[in-house]
Amino acid sequence: MKNVAIIGSGSWGAALGIYLANHGHSVKMWSFDEDEKNLINNKRKCVFLPNAKVPDGVICSSNFEEVLEDAEIILHVTPSKFVRSTIKQYKSFVKPNQMVIMCSKGFESETGYTLDQIMEEELLGIKTGILSGPSHAEEVSLNVPTLMVVASKDSEVREVISEEFKSNSMRIYTSEDVKGVELGGALKNIIAFCAGIAVGLGLGDNTFAALATRGLVEIDRLGTAMGGETKTFYGLSGLGDLIVTCGSVHSRNRKAGELIGKGYSIEETRKQVGMTIESVDNIDVAYKLCKKYNVEMPIVEKVYEVLYNGLSPKEAVDILMTREQKSE
């Protein structure tokens, strides 16, 4: 059993803490929010996971040094826009014998970096990895059988995470394709947002399936252009995560798209969802990347225009449907 530090007390950080503590690991969790910290420590609850109980093995603190001191594994679980700033706050406490695993999904908007690139810059000499896959926090916290993938260039990281995190409700596959796993997790949120728009417009299963399928093609195009492997995008962190994020009632990205499809503004949508919406935060990055790498991504281009250029969701669908005929 391991001492695990979790940086972030939102739904996914809390779910990982609950799962790991229930399977014998010692968990210390960092939170910037005093109310969240007190709720976890005193009430054994997480506001984002009302059906789950936080076990006594989870201790929450707002002190980075206290959380990281004895950790063998560090899980970073903050919104993508706060990844670099948060790492800067705790990296002086990270020791060479610890490993840092990125569990967040997204991009850094200012640079267009994937989150593994941020770790490479900020955590010199530290072993790192990416944990991704179809894994809604609500279900992981309740021990629903879940499959994930850990990606790292370091074989020890892959072996430790896959072995220590496994159980009869969690199976961890391994991959060396860090870039592919990273991009699959980041880009699928955008396609799920688009699928939500289709639901909000009242369109049918045919449209939903078409969006998911052609969206996967776009993920593969940009992902391979940026160094990922096609097989990764048809695995757990690509197709698997796309299925669960497009189709689940738990998906905040799908819910956000559905609200946009119904005519809500971005501001109204953020208030309704009440949590970070990675797709909204990263659509402009994906748009810029597809232009940078000269990759055709019509779905991403149109949803960018919906959010930033005033195109209506219905007009976006009409434009996509009347594009020039092509071979699949």
Side-chain angles (χ1 to χ4, degrees):
M1 296 301 134
K2 298 291 185 182
N3 293 325
V4 181
I6 299 179
I7 305 299
S9 61
S11 59
W12 188 216
L16 287 169
I18 291 167
Y19 167 78
L20 292 170
N22 280 335
H23 288 84
H25 299 283
S26 176
V27 177
K28 290 183 180 178
M29 184 182 301
W30 174 84
S31 178
F32 76 94
D33 189 301
E34 288 294 317
D35 290 336
E36 282 185 17
K37 182 189 79 172
N38 292 332
L39 186 65
I40 290 170
N41 287 336
N42 301 329
K43 301 291 186 180
R44 299 283 112 196
K45 292 182 180 180
C46 171
V47 68
F48 304 112
L49 302 170
N51 296 321
K53 181 182 185 298
V54 179
D56 293 337
V58 176
I59 298 170
C60 193
S61 170
S62 55
N63 184 300
F64 282 117
E65 186 173 12
E66 179 184 338
V67 169
L68 297 176
E69 184 178 12
D70 299 319
E72 297 158 273
I73 299 168
I74 301 166
L75 304 181
H76 186 116
V77 200
T78 68
S80 58
K81 60 187 175 183
F82 300 128
V83 164
R84 189 186 294 273
S85 61
T86 306
I87 290 177
K88 282 182 178 295
Q89 293 179 67
Y90 72 72
K91 67 180 183 179
S92 63
F93 303 116
V94 179
K95 305 176 185 72
N97 64 326
Q98 297 172 315
M99 56 182 67
V100 180
I101 310 300
M102 183 60 60
C103 304
S104 307
K105 300 172 184 177
F107 298 96
E108 183 175 52
S109 59
E110 296 83 1
T111 60
Y113 281 4
T114 50
L115 306 186
D116 65 289
Q117 288 177 283
I118 298 174
M119 289 199 294
E120 285 177 6
E121 285 193 352
E122 298 292 342
L123 295 167
L124 298 176
I126 302 299
K127 295 178 179 181
T128 61
I130 305 291
L131 185 64
S132 192
S135 50
H136 280 310
E138 293 84 353
E139 296 188 357
V140 170
S141 69
L142 298 176
N143 239 30
V144 173
T146 300
L147 277 65
M148 300 184 70
V149 58
V150 58
S152 178
K153 297 299 184 184
D154 191 293
S155 60
E156 182 187 358
V157 171
R158 298 194 301 271
E159 290 167 9
V160 167
I161 299 302
S162 63
E163 279 300 309
E164 295 296 337
F165 285 25
K166 71 179 182 180
S167 73
N168 60 356
S169 63
M170 179 77 74
R171 181 175 173 84
I172 309 287
Y173 285 81
T174 62
S175 173
E176 296 180 41
D177 183 15
V178 174
K179 191 62 66 179
V181 169
E182 180 80 83
L183 288 167
L187 293 170
K188 58 87 187 177
N189 286 329
I190 296 169
I191 303 305
F193 179 82
C194 297
I197 290 177
V199 173
L201 287 171
L203 305 178
D205 294 339
N206 295 352
T207 314
F208 192 89
L211 262 173
T213 305
R214 296 308 299 173
L216 183 59
V217 171
E218 295 192 16
I219 291 172
D220 183 39
R221 284 175 182 166
L222 181 58
T224 52
M226 292 180 67
E229 301 176 22
T230 288
K231 66 178 182 180
T232 301
F233 302 114
Y234 289 84
L236 288 168
S237 65
L239 177 59
D241 214 352
L242 183 67
I243 290 171
V244 78
T245 312
C246 283
S248 175
V249 294
H250 297 311
S251 170
R252 69 188 73 164
N253 294 289
R254 172 185 153 138
K255 181 179 180 180
E258 188 173 347
L259 291 168
I260 294 294
K262 291 178 177 178
Y264 286 74
S265 69
I266 285 292
E267 293 73 22
E268 292 168 335
T269 296
R270 290 187 190 277
K271 287 181 181 178
Q272 286 282 328
V273 173
M275 292 186 282
T276 298
I277 309 168
E278 292 287 9
S279 55
V280 173
D281 291 340
N282 288 292
I283 284 169
D284 62 327
V285 181
Y287 176 81
K288 290 172 184 174
L289 287 171
C290 80
K291 297 303 180 186
K292 176 182 178 180
Y293 288 91
N294 194 28
V295 173
E296 186 181 20
M297 300 181 74
I299 297 173
V300 169
E301 290 173 8
K302 288 299 163 243
V303 75
Y304 175 86
E305 291 185 30
V306 168
L307 289 186
Y308 296 102
N309 293 337
L311 183 68
S312 76
K314 179 63 170 64
E315 288 175 315
V317 173
D318 290 342
I319 293 170
L320 288 169
M321 289 299 295
T322 55
R323 292 171 65 240
E324 179 185 354
Q325 299 291 99
K326 295 186 177 183
S327 169
E328 187 179 41

